[in-house]
């Protein structure tokens, strides 16, 4: 679950902060009331972003690859649905953000997401598998998990490395090209998370497919540099209110991207 404050705080300054750090900070806050955005909805937004990418720096995305990006968090469907139901119960505190999931929970969700992506194409499944492999490898190398949790992560990494080798052999792209496509997924994923979390800070993204993107927030929307999203593109995502009130249980949150060269 991605948590979004009911009213976002104004931007603290004009500096460009690391995008992931801004997202992580927002998800570690405790909210008595907030908007909840499910992981599958966030993934669908990632797919919409992928379909609107433009520019010579961006690899061509066939429809099945866009669909894989849109499904990349499908494995969170059941856990998030249960969290929404619990949030509607009397006296229940705000749901936990996705960062608070335990190793066993997110490995299970990752694996189910990859299995779902297999329905798109071998390249699409590779992208999703590699995406989670990268996240899992970073966790394995940096977190102070228990021996049991490290064992779960190690088993996941080894299984997905074997899966990726098989998937790469079932399609025509080189491994380098598949890695670049995974970069595209990760960029769309991170941009979607930023939109969903409600932050207003200017942010800088890691380098993906040879490009370092900066995003600025302005009154008329978000400004990307370089301009990798179609000018005037508008996106939306479903958000559920916690706690639900008599007047409001949910809404569509909209985001507009304006190009940096306007």
């Amino acid at each position: 679950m991605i948590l979004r404050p009911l009213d976002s705080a104004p931007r603290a300054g004009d500096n460009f902060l690391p995008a992931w750090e801004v997202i992580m900070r927002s998800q570690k806050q405790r909210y008595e009331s907030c908007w909840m955005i499910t992981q599958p909805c966030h993934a669908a937004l990632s797919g919409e972003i992928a379909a609107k990418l433009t520019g010579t720096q961006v690899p061509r995305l066939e429809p099945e690859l866009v669909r894989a990006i849109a499904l990349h968090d499908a494995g969170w469907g059941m856990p998030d649905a249960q969290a929404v139901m619990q949030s509607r119960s009397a006296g229940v505190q705000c749901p936990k953000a996705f960062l608070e999931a335990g190793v066993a929970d997110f490995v299970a969700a990752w694996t189910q997401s990859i299995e779902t992506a297999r329905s798109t194409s071998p390249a699409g499944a590779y992208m999703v598998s590699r995406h989670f492999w990268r996240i899992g490898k970073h966790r394995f190398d940096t977190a102070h998990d228990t021996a049991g949790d490290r064992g779960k992560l190690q088993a996941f990494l080894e299984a997905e490395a074997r899966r990726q080798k098989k998937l790469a052999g079932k399609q025509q792209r080189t491994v380098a090209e598949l890695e670049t496509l995974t970069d595209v997924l990760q960029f769309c994923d991170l941009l979607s998370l930023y939109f969903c979390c409600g932050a207003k800070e200017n942010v800088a993204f890691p380098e993906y497919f040879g490009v370092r993107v900066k995003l600025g927030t302005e009154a008329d929307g978000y400004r990307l540099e370089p301009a990798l999203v179609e000018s005037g593109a508008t996106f939306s995502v479903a958000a559920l209110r916690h706690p639900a009130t008599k007047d409001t249980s949910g809404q569509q949150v909209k985001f507009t991207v304006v190009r940096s060269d306007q």
Side-chain angles (χ1 to χ4, degrees):
M1 192 73 68
I2 301 158
L3 306 183
R4 178 186 178 92
L6 296 182
D7 297 302
S8 299
R11 191 172 69 210
D14 293 330
N15 291 335
F16 285 84
L17 306 176
W20 175 244
E21 291 183 11
V22 170
I23 295 165
M24 185 167 56
R25 186 169 64 221
S26 76
Q27 297 307 289
K28 288 186 175 181
Q29 294 187 36
R30 295 293 179 183
Y31 302 104
E32 291 185 5
S33 57
C34 66
W35 297 107
M36 304 178 297
I37 298 172
T38 67
Q39 293 278 59
C41 284
H42 138 71
L45 174 59
S46 302
E48 291 180 23
I49 292 169
K52 295 290 186 178
L53 291 178
T54 187
T56 58
Q57 307 101 317
V58 182
R60 179 173 176 269
L61 297 177
E62 289 82 2
E64 62 269 20
L65 300 183
V66 173
R67 178 164 172 75
I69 294 173
L71 291 172
H72 82 265
D73 272 333
W76 289 99
M78 185 58 70
D80 277 7
Q82 293 172 343
V84 170
M85 291 178 62
Q86 292 170 359
S87 78
R88 294 322 194 214
S89 302
V92 174
Q93 296 181 348
C94 187
K96 295 180 179 180
F98 68 94
L99 290 178
E100 298 187 59
V103 171
D105 293 330
F106 64 66
V107 165
W110 290 354
T111 303
Q112 183 58 50
S113 298
I114 297 163
E115 290 295 330
T116 301
R118 289 178 60 192
S119 67
T120 63
S121 66
Y126 183 102
M127 291 165 58
V128 178
S129 173
R130 192 65 174 173
H131 168 63
F132 290 121
W133 186 95
R134 290 178 180 180
I135 298 173
K137 185 64 165 61
H138 178 76
R139 171 79 180 231
F140 187 83
D141 291 342
T142 61
H144 299 288
D145 290 316
T146 65
D149 282 345
R150 286 181 62 81
K152 292 182 178 69
L153 276 172
Q154 182 68 45
F156 172 81
L157 294 172
E158 292 174 354
E160 292 310 312
R162 292 191 295 269
R163 189 204 298 266
Q164 290 156 25
K165 186 175 181 179
K166 292 178 181 178
L167 290 169
K170 293 181 178 180
Q171 49 81 64
Q172 300 301 313
R173 295 175 182 84
T174 67
V175 170
E177 289 171 331
L178 292 170
E179 291 294 305
T180 300
L181 290 174
T182 305
D183 279 357
V184 176
L185 188 162
Q186 295 206 278
F187 170 70
C188 295
D189 174 58
L190 194 58
L191 181 55
S192 174
L193 285 173
Y194 176 82
F195 285 162
C196 289
C197 79
K200 294 299 183 182
E201 303 298 329
N202 295 331
V203 293
F205 288 73
E207 181 176 322
Y208 292 121
F209 44 89
V211 180
R212 291 186 179 274
V213 176
K214 287 185 176 181
L215 180 148
T217 60
E218 300 188 8
D220 57 348
Y222 299 94
R223 192 172 293 273
L224 288 172
E225 185 178 349
L228 296 184
V229 177
E230 291 180 10
S231 177
T234 299
F235 306 98
S236 66
V237 67
L240 300 171
R241 195 187 192 283
H242 175 82
T245 67
K246 181 179 179 181
D247 297 324
T248 306
S249 62
Q251 69 172 14
Q252 289 287 321
V253 181
K254 294 186 177 181
F255 319 96
T256 299
V257 175
V258 291
R259 293 175 67 124
S260 60
D261 55 355
Q262 288 186 329

